[in-house]
Amino acid sequence: VHEGERVAVVGPNGAGKSTLLRLIVGTLKPSAGQVNIYGHSPDDHVCIAYVPQRNQIDWSFPATVEDVVMMGRVDKIGLFRWPKRHDWEVVRQCLERVQAAKLAKKQVGELSGGQQQRVFIARALAQEAELLLMDEPMNGLDLPSQESLFTILDKVRDDRVTVLVATHDLTLAEERFDRAILLNKRLIAYGEPPVILTPDHLMQAYGGHLHVLGEEETILLTEGCCGHGEDDQ
């Protein structure tokens, strides 16, 4: 994966998309082989920001938006140390960059799904992350909220932040990402979406859930996967 790219991680339910992201961030350990980010293991880096699926987050936790973004500064501040004026200024700037400054004092659990995703991107910016991992961030978002999220991800490119997004949406993968990783328990294909999201590769990934219609090879995916959380372990 090249620096600053936006990469879609696609595949059916249970393919290993969430597991791949957890291995990269270090919350899961590989049973074999190694995971290296910039030549080091995940434990040796604070440059990775991870946004899990929304149904895996305790939204009842009493934290304000600015508190959540400040959590991204912990490794910069040090454990058991109070944030300084500079850290709060960083938080304010990051919230402004994702158009969420007016939400600073609100409880994060009170926000819409799109607003919550923006807050987690602000946390990644406050962390000064070089790699942002997002697990199904578009689930439950309407089209305007999805478009707003992509506008913010476009701005993240200015910081040379590399973004990996697990998604079920093959159309989004083809239209909005530089590259795609197609998985089903193994790597089936990796490259520019129009090149790898072919009927042959998709048939390997989705099997009987994929149907190719007509001479123009229109793809119909019948897997009941959209809009639902998944546990790929």
Side-chain angles (χ1 to χ4, degrees):
V1 176
H2 299 151
E3 183 183 58
E5 283 188 325
R6 187 158 69 215
V7 181
V9 183
V10 295
N13 278 337
K17 300 186 297 295
S18 296
T19 299
L20 174 63
L21 298 188
R22 293 171 190 161
L23 286 166
I24 293 171
V25 80
T27 57
L28 285 180
K29 303 300 181 184
S31 56
Q34 295 180 331
V35 178
N36 290 311
I37 299 95
Y38 298 107
H40 300 277
S41 70
D43 294 338
D44 295 331
H45 274 280
V46 297
C47 66
I48 308 170
Y50 173 52
V51 183
Q53 294 182 28
R54 292 183 65 249
N55 61 9
Q56 297 175 1
I57 299 172
D58 180 7
W59 297 111
S60 65
F61 187 78
T64 65
V65 166
E66 62 183 4
D67 290 335
V68 171
V69 178
M70 183 60 76
M71 292 175 188
R73 300 290 300 167
V74 168
D75 286 307
K76 305 292 182 183
I77 299 168
L79 287 175
F80 310 115
R81 294 185 179 180
W82 292 102
K84 297 180 180 179
R85 181 180 300 178
H86 168 71
D87 297 300
W88 288 111
E89 179 62 20
V90 170
V91 167
R92 184 189 64 79
Q93 291 175 359
C94 292
L95 284 171
E96 285 184 350
R97 290 191 61 188
V98 301
Q99 302 167 12
K102 294 181 179 179
L103 305 175
K105 300 298 183 181
K106 287 186 174 292
Q107 295 287 317
V108 70
E110 298 174 356
L111 305 183
S112 69
Q115 290 171 332
Q116 289 167 346
Q117 295 292 356
R118 280 189 272 161
V119 169
F120 279 103
I121 294 174
R123 186 183 69 172
L125 293 173
Q127 182 182 335
E128 300 178 23
E130 299 172 36
L131 177 61
L132 172 60
L133 311 176
M134 305 185 76
D135 196 352
E136 300 287 358
M138 306 301 168
N139 273 4
L141 301 189
D142 58 22
L143 289 177
S145 296
Q146 290 186 26
E147 191 62 36
S148 176
L149 190 58
F150 274 112
T151 298
I152 292 166
L153 290 177
D154 287 340
K155 295 178 180 179
V156 167
R157 289 182 188 272
D158 296 337
D159 296 302
R160 304 296 296 166
V161 177
T162 305
V163 180
L164 267 66
V165 177
T167 179
H168 282 297
D169 195 321
L170 298 178
T171 301
L172 275 182
E174 183 163 359
E175 295 178 351
R176 308 301 294 265
F177 290 82
D178 304 305
R179 296 176 190 263
I181 300 171
L182 183 59
L183 299 177
N184 192 353
K185 305 294 186 182
R186 63 182 179 86
L187 177 63
I188 293 172
Y190 171 63
E192 296 180 2
V195 176
I196 73 156
L197 298 179
T198 62
D200 178 58
H201 287 149
L202 293 172
M203 188 65 73
Q204 293 180 53
Y206 292 91
H209 294 290
L210 187 81
H211 305 276
V212 181
L213 308 177
E215 295 181 0
E216 296 182 0
E217 296 189 329
T218 299
I219 294 172
L220 175 64
L221 186 60
T222 59
E223 181 188 32
C225 61
C226 298
H228 299 285
E230 67 171 316
D231 184 349
D232 285 336
Q233 291 187 69

